[in-house]
Amino acid sequence: MVDPDPHASARSEVLGRIRAAIGPDRPRVQIPRDYDVRREHGNVVELLARRIADYRAVVRRVAAADLPDAIGTLLARRQVRIMLGPADLPEEWRAPDVEWHLDDPPLTVEQLDRADGVLTGCAVAIAETGTIVLDAGAAQGRRALTLVPDYHLCVVRADQVVGSVPEALARLDPVRPLTFVSGPSATSDIELDRVEGVHGPRTLEVLVAS
């Protein structure tokens, strides 16, 4: 007897195999995930600075005690008038000659767009990839705060810098809203012309405080 629908039979066989593979009776296999977590990078802060610079971002290392002055100098150099910040932005980070708009109550999209930039901290920074991770935690605020403005000034403490991605993930809570920032926002069209500022800030400056 000829099968009236061989495709249906094949489909049933494939689906049956999938059900068997993911069903309650499937064997439990422990996958090791503790390999290649740490790598020898030497000075991870120096590596982070080099990798961030590779993305056409600006990075400067400063002493923690000099951080407020460094922030004021950078904002004055850019002739910034209006800066945004999360509701818990440290008071000492707020340069006196700048009009600060904190996100409490939440700023509108129009207010976010009118500002010259935003100042935040971060959750962790990954040296080998030059990536800064935000998780809406202390001194960071919600995601829109760092995606709408054209300029992002980010403070990274030296003790927040890790060497590898697995080390960073071990410090992060996977249920929090994580934003991974590797340089200024940039994309390329079909002609491979680089276009900046499409999906986020066109300019990223990073102060690494130690």
Side-chain angles (χ1 to χ4, degrees):
M1 180 177 179
V2 178
D3 189 338
D5 189 353
H7 297 292
S9 298
R11 182 168 59 249
S12 297
E13 181 180 353
V14 170
L15 292 176
R17 292 182 180 181
I18 292 174
R19 292 189 190 97
I22 66 175
D25 298 328
R26 72 185 186 279
R28 297 288 180 176
V29 178
Q30 288 295 114
I31 302 175
R33 301 188 185 278
D34 57 351
Y35 59 90
D36 200 25
V37 173
R38 298 180 63 89
R39 304 183 183 93
E40 291 301 323
H41 290 301
N43 190 318
V44 292
V45 174
E46 290 183 359
L47 177 61
L48 175 72
R50 292 200 306 271
R51 293 292 164 82
I52 290 176
D54 288 341
Y55 289 119
R56 301 188 187 181
V58 178
V59 58
R60 293 176 174 83
R61 296 183 61 181
V62 300
D66 297 331
L67 182 58
D69 288 339
I71 292 172
T73 298
L74 289 181
L75 297 183
R77 186 175 300 163
R78 292 185 60 86
Q79 298 182 328
V80 166
R81 296 182 300 104
I82 301 174
M83 282 290 286
L84 307 178
D88 61 344
L89 187 72
E91 180 72 33
E92 62 271 18
W93 291 8
R94 305 176 202 173
D97 297 328
V98 175
E99 181 180 331
W100 291 95
H101 293 190
L102 303 187
D103 198 34
D104 184 23
L107 301 167
T108 66
V109 173
E110 290 75 17
Q111 289 173 309
L112 297 177
D113 191 47
R114 283 199 300 267
D116 295 313
V118 60
L119 170 62
T120 73
C122 74
V124 67
I126 308 169
E128 66 181 8
T129 62
T131 303
I132 297 167
V133 186
L134 310 176
D135 69 353
Q140 297 166 64
R142 58 191 172 113
R143 183 172 287 161
L145 200 61
T146 55
L147 291 181
V148 177
D150 201 48
Y151 167 63
H152 183 188
L153 175 57
C154 186
V155 174
V156 178
R157 299 193 318 269
D159 63 1
Q160 293 176 308
V161 182
V162 298
S164 68
V165 173
E167 288 178 271
L169 294 179
R171 293 193 181 192
L172 297 168
D173 183 347
V175 304
R176 296 190 65 84
L178 303 178
T179 303
F180 289 70
V181 180
S182 297
S185 170
T187 187
S188 297
D189 60 18
I190 196 170
E191 300 295 335
L192 299 182
D193 292 324
R194 180 182 172 96
V195 181
E196 299 179 341
V198 176
H199 307 111
R202 189 190 317 267
T203 303
L204 173 66
E205 287 193 303
V206 179
L207 287 173
V208 181
S210 56

